[in-house]
Every structure is written in C-alpha cells, then in structure tokens.
Amino acid sequence: MRNNHLIAPSVLAADFSKLGEDLQMINESDADWLHVDIMDGMFVPNISFGQNIVKTMSKVCTKPLDVHLMIEQPGRYVESFREAGAEVITVHVEATKHLHRVIQQIKATGAKAGVALNPHSNISLIEDVLEDLDLVCIMSVNPGFGGQKFIYQTLPKLRYLKEVCDKRNLSPHIEVDGGVGLQNAESILQAGANVLVAGSAVFRSEDPKATILKLKKIGSETWV
Ligand code: DX5
Ligand code: ZN
C-alpha cells in the first residue's frame, strides 16, 4: 500500500440545492481533491452539468478539481474545462480515436492528464501512453450514475496496472472510481490504488467530514 493516499469526494452526490455549503464542508475536510463528473448524455446515458457550474465550483472550492470527462470526443472540451478551473482532466480511452493527441492537448493547457478505463477495457489500451500520464482512472462501475455497486473484477486489474507501472518505474496516480466506501477501501488501496473517489459513501453518510477522515486514515496503522 502506498502512503498518503488521496481522497476525492465526488460532487455528483452532493445536494445541489445547497452546493455552496457542501463545498465549504469539503474545504474544511481532509479531502485532497474534488472529483467532478461531466456526463454528456452520449458517452454515458446521463447528463450532469457543464463548464459554468465547474467554474462556479472552482471559485468556492479550495481543493484541486479532478474533472472526469465522460463525454464523446473529449478533445472538443479540454481547453474550456481547464479555463473553468480543472487541475486534472481525465478522458475515457473509449471516447476518443486519438488518445495520444488528446493527452498532449491536456498537458499543453498545464493540467494534469488522466485516462479512464471502463470496467471492460483492458490495461493494454493505455500501455503505450503510460509514460505521458499523470493519472489512470480505473472505473469500478459502468460510468453514468452514482450509487452503483463496486465491480470486484476491478481488483486484479488494479494489481496488474500497478505491476506494469512498477516494472517500468512509472508512478502515475492510480484512481478508482465507483462504489468505493469504507467497506472496500482497504482492499482497493492494497491492490495498488492511491486515489479513492467516493460519492454516495461521503455525501450520503451521516457525517461526511468524519467519513472523509476515516477514508483518509485507512491503512495508516500500517504506515511506517
Ligand atoms: C460514475 C462517476 C463516479 C460517481 C461515483 O459514473 O464517474 O465518479 O460519482 O459515485 P459513487 O461513489 O456513489 O459510486
Ligand atoms: Zn467519476
């Protein structure tokens, strides 16, 4: 398990009627990033929100915005999400024919570049661009909705990715997104992840700040 894993609560599960308060809670919490899900109704069935809302969030939120683009041909929107305040921009390997180009496009904006893989997508799809990546996001649910059940086949995939990275002396962030909570966080971290995205587990809990802290502390007793 890597030390100092990061917690990225997913704002999708926040109460948008009191978004300001929820962001304030994130600011005061031990969260490292705010995970922001952008859904276009094409790549995934759902539609979330766009650049204007992200810009508003970036004005209120003091944590870096980790923007997960679940949109077809994401190259069309890289610059505008960067302008809206994204620190990390993650695109899906399944959503573009020109992954290498889009990664360079993200880096040219100064943002950190991430690539996400759906549960069925093999690590081999990103092995040739791994050197260029700041983050790999392993989807542990089929993207499109919060509150889904964690798909356990993700764990061997994570272990394999970690092995490939170690062999090649690369250390991109390895993020896991979907169905993550206190019940499975430890095994996810043990399998090689160092960034946990958690939506419902945080925002639907009785005390979101305390849940963030618990997620942050997982494994700390084994730290040296
Ligand atoms: C799913 C999104 C996730 C989602 C996670 O398409 O990418 O980030 O918000 O929500 P939970 O933690 O509720 O599964
Ligand atoms: Zn996400």
Side-chain angles (χ1 to χ4, degrees):
M1 205 186 285
R2 285 196 245 179
N3 285 355
N4 301 325
H5 59 269
L6 308 181
I7 307 299
S10 170
V11 74
L12 193 68
D15 178 349
F16 276 64
S17 69
K18 55 175 189 71
L19 187 58
E21 282 170 45
D22 279 359
L23 292 179
Q24 200 49 47
M25 178 280 289
I26 295 291
N27 290 347
E28 291 161 11
S29 77
D30 291 274
D32 298 280
W33 295 348
L34 181 72
H35 185 82
V36 181
D37 287 309
I38 309 298
M39 302 176 177
D40 69 348
M42 287 294 288
F43 180 69
V44 288
N46 208 1
I47 297 177
S48 58
F49 46 81
Q51 295 90 329
N52 283 345
I53 303 283
V54 176
K55 196 169 203 160
T56 309
M57 288 177 182
S58 78
K59 284 185 189 148
V60 181
C61 188
T62 54
K63 313 276 172 160
L65 302 190
D66 170 34
V67 175
H68 177 194
L69 297 182
M70 284 163 275
I71 60 181
E72 284 294 341
Q73 299 180 40
R76 296 175 297 156
Y77 294 108
V78 163
E79 286 77 14
S80 62
F81 278 101
R82 174 62 173 162
E83 277 156 29
E87 288 284 330
V88 183
I89 298 180
T90 296
V91 298
H92 268 263
V93 66
E94 306 86 2
T96 175
K97 289 181 179 145
H98 302 287
L99 187 62
H100 182 273
R101 181 187 293 154
V102 178
I103 293 166
Q104 309 315 316
Q105 202 186 333
I106 297 171
K107 292 170 90 103
T109 68
K112 290 192 166 57
V115 170
L117 288 110
N118 279 341
H120 73 279
S121 295
N122 200 274
I123 299 294
S124 61
L125 292 167
I126 55 160
E127 283 191 38
D128 291 349
V129 291
L130 209 48
E131 265 85 2
D132 289 335
L133 297 181
D134 299 298
L135 177 145
V136 178
C137 174
I138 299 294
M139 292 305 302
S140 40
V141 297
N142 287 296
F145 304 93
Q148 302 182 79
K149 215 167 148 269
F150 184 83
I151 298 172
Y152 273 89
Q153 287 95 316
T154 307
L155 293 178
K157 191 159 151 178
L158 268 174
R159 279 185 214 110
Y160 178 69
L161 172 62
K162 184 70 170 56
E163 239 175 73
V164 171
C165 290
D166 286 350
K167 262 190 205 143
R168 289 168 58 182
N169 227 353
L170 299 171
S171 46
H173 290 295
I174 300 181
E175 178 176 74
V176 175
D177 185 8
V180 176
L182 289 166
Q183 74 292 353
N184 54 14
E186 182 155 15
S187 30
I188 296 168
L189 294 169
Q190 267 164 1
N194 78 312
V195 185
L196 300 177
V197 174
S200 348
V202 165
F203 286 97
R204 303 284 143 84
S205 71
E206 232 164 71
D207 186 345
K209 255 195 244 176
T211 306
I212 293 170
L213 183 60
K214 280 184 195 157
L215 286 167
K216 185 76 188 168
K217 282 196 161 160
I218 281 176
S220 57
E221 64 278 7
T222 60
W223 293 356
V224 274

